Amino acid sequence: MARLRLGVLISGRGSNLQALVDAARAPDYPAEVALVISNEAGAAGLARAEVAGIPARLISHRQPGFEAMIDAALSDAGIGLVCLAGFMRVLSAAFVRRWHGRLINIHPSLLPAFPGLDTHRRALAAGAKATGCTVHFVSDAVDAGPIIAQSEVPVLPGDDEASLAARVLAAEHRLYPRVVRLIAEGRVHVDGDRVEIR
Ligand code: GRF
């Protein structure tokens, strides 16, 4: 069966992109990274795409028609699922509508706790005993939309932002490829605000 073609949108390091690329090396993985788009020229993820031999585009948010260019690049590449992976721009309601049900994000907290930035610092400040990561469909509110899957990690005594971020990131790298597989296998069904995995 044809593999689901992923378009991965990044702004920086690209370690979640790498996790998807690595997962797709398995012959039985039902998806492949077909296109990488970065809005930042210096994104380390662009180099990862090059090493992996994956087409990559730099589309700066500073140029007019930024979103239309992303949309066209994704459509031209026959992308079936758009994965935001550390993409630091908020997409317009029109874009979100256009890719409805085909646009997912990974966020480093257990949503709805700690949307937005600095999630680990805020989790530590709140005295949370657990945190983690969430993969969700994108809606027009930031870090909101039907939750597909979450992975919990403990907050340990002595944790600082760096140690907690590293633990959560390792969980992200396991979770994102798992969720993409579920979607590619047609097992993810959205019912209003809820997602059912069958
Ligand atoms: C990850 O923590 C992700 O959850 C958040 O941004 C970070 C991106 O890291 N949205 P990377 O670029 O995938 O390494």
Side-chain angles (χ1 to χ4, degrees):
M1 219 175 90
R3 300 168 106 199
L4 179 64
R5 291 173 67 77
L6 309 177
V8 183
L9 270 53
I10 62 166
S11 298
R13 182 175 53 186
S15 70
N16 279 289
L17 161 66
Q18 189 72 55
L20 292 170
V21 168
D22 292 347
R25 286 215 179 90
D28 68 339
Y29 194 75
E32 64 185 317
V33 181
L35 179 65
V36 174
I37 298 175
S38 173
N39 67 308
E40 295 286 359
L46 283 172
R48 295 179 190 267
E50 196 183 338
V51 168
I54 295 165
R57 295 272 311 270
L58 167 65
I59 302 179
S60 169
H61 56 277
R62 294 170 192 93
Q63 55 190 315
F66 162 65
E67 266 192 5
M69 289 172 77
I70 292 181
D71 184 58
L74 293 169
S75 299
D76 290 351
I79 297 304
L81 181 68
V82 181
C83 304
L84 306 184
F87 184 66
M88 300 305 285
R89 305 299 298 183
V90 176
L91 294 161
S92 72
F95 186 97
V96 169
R97 213 174 308 119
R98 187 162 150 63
W99 289 91
H100 179 77
R102 298 176 296 157
L103 177 58
I104 63 175
N105 180 45
I106 187 158
H107 180 77
S109 76
L110 295 176
L111 292 172
F114 311 121
L117 299 175
D118 295 325
T119 54
H120 307 306
R121 186 173 53 70
R122 287 153 61 212
L124 288 167
K129 298 298 183 203
T131 182
C133 52
T134 301
V135 178
H136 63 95
F137 285 108
V138 175
S139 69
D140 15 353
V142 174
D143 297 328
I147 291 171
I148 306 167
Q150 297 182 302
S151 172
E152 183 178 300
V153 306
V155 179
L156 299 177
D159 261 342
D160 59 13
E161 233 179 298
S163 63
L164 186 55
R167 193 174 309 120
V168 173
L169 192 64
E172 292 184 43
H173 296 162
R174 293 188 293 270
L175 185 66
Y176 218 0
R178 248 170 42 212
V179 169
V180 167
R181 172 187 279 281
L182 290 170
I183 292 174
E185 290 173 347
R187 296 175 58 197
V188 174
H189 301 270
V190 188
D191 179 11
D193 290 337
R194 287 163 186 258
V195 171
E196 196 191 323
I197 314 266
R198 292 184 197 143

